[in-house]
Amino acid sequence: MKAMLRTVLFLDAALNLALGVFLIASFWSSLYAAIDVPAPSPVLYAQVLGVAFIGVAWLQWHATVNGQLTATVAKVTGHVNWVSGAFVLGWLISGQLVVSTGGKLMLAVLGAVLLVIGGILVKLASSVRTKERVQAAQQAGERVRGGVVSDTRRDAPQDYSDARVVDESRGRRAEPRMETPRGGSAPVNTTPVAPVGATGIVTPVPSATAPTSNESTSSVPHDARQNPHS
């Protein structure tokens, strides 16, 4: 489809180039008289229109090479062509052009060619544009199914306030952790102390788990307390 569009676009570029050169040569009155076509007056308008046709032809030629411009340029220049052909045929049908039979036939052919080529360009450009959009949508769907697009659930923020939830998500279970003041740590096996007295000396308080003197002496074996030399 796109190859056909490029072919028609190239042919239209050649036609527009020929029309541009023909209009720039509007000062050559004998040329117009030879083909039984009235010479444009004033010549300035015809020459400016000829430069515009050459510019359109140049743009169409670049669009045949650059695939990104093909559909857009074909659609725009296609509208320009069929509107120009409609104007030519309208002036011929109105009978306000004083031309001979040969000139009328040439202008009628020119108007019909512009009208047909313009319609073909618009139609092909629309088809190519629709096909490109469908292909782009299919490629986007394949990328999504292939995992190129990140999972929104994975990227969504999660609340890790509970340590047990975090550890279970990692595959192991952990007991709830004790909350400590900000910037500190929980005390471990600290020995309670008595309030500071007048002397300012801190006196440790005996803990229930601390061994007494009897226990400490009794824990030593009896044989060890005896004199080994007795």
Side-chain angles (χ1 to χ4, degrees):
M1 184 70 70
K2 199 167 187 178
M4 184 183 299
L5 178 60
R6 288 179 175 178
T7 302
V8 178
L9 196 61
F10 179 79
L11 295 176
D12 190 38
L15 177 62
N16 289 331
L17 179 62
L19 286 175
V21 174
F22 181 74
L23 290 173
I24 289 178
S26 58
F27 60 91
W28 191 2
S29 57
S30 57
L31 174 62
Y32 284 80
I35 58 178
D36 294 333
V37 175
S41 180
V43 177
L44 174 63
Y45 297 153
Q47 289 180 339
V48 172
L49 182 60
V51 173
F53 269 104
I54 293 177
V56 170
W58 179 83
L59 184 62
Q60 288 177 329
W61 182 81
H62 275 278
T64 58
V65 179
N66 190 351
Q68 296 180 353
L69 300 175
T70 302
T72 303
V73 173
K75 187 174 183 179
V76 174
T77 56
H79 285 296
V80 172
N81 280 358
W82 77 260
V83 171
S84 300
F87 272 114
V88 172
L89 294 177
W91 277 96
L92 283 176
I93 294 173
S94 65
Q96 297 182 8
L97 291 178
V98 182
V99 292
S100 60
T101 304
K104 289 181 179 180
L105 180 61
M106 183 174 294
L107 290 176
V109 171
L110 176 62
V113 170
L114 290 175
L115 188 64
V116 172
I117 291 181
I120 292 174
L121 286 176
V122 172
K123 180 64 177 177
L124 291 177
S126 300
S127 300
V128 170
R129 182 66 62 84
T130 303
K131 186 176 180 180
E132 289 178 350
R133 290 176 180 175
V134 171
Q135 291 178 353
Q138 292 177 354
Q139 292 177 359
E142 291 177 357
R143 288 197 298 269
V144 171
R145 289 192 298 269
V148 177
V149 179
S150 61
D151 189 1
T152 56
R153 295 177 299 176
R154 182 184 59 190
D155 297 337
Q158 299 180 6
D159 186 9
Y160 296 113
S161 58
D162 191 357
R164 180 177 298 177
V165 177
V166 178
D167 293 331
E168 288 180 356
S169 64
R170 294 178 180 176
R172 61 178 182 272
R173 181 181 178 87
E175 295 298 330
R177 302 173 184 175
M178 296 179 59
E179 295 183 356
T180 58
R182 181 175 298 177
S185 58
V188 180
N189 296 330
T190 58
T191 303
V193 296
V196 180
T199 59
I201 301 174
V202 179
T203 304
V205 177
S207 175
T209 59
T212 60
S213 59
N214 295 330
E215 293 178 352
S216 61
T217 56
S218 61
S219 60
V220 180
H222 179 73
D223 296 336
R225 292 197 302 269
Q226 294 178 359
N227 189 357
H229 301 283
S230 60

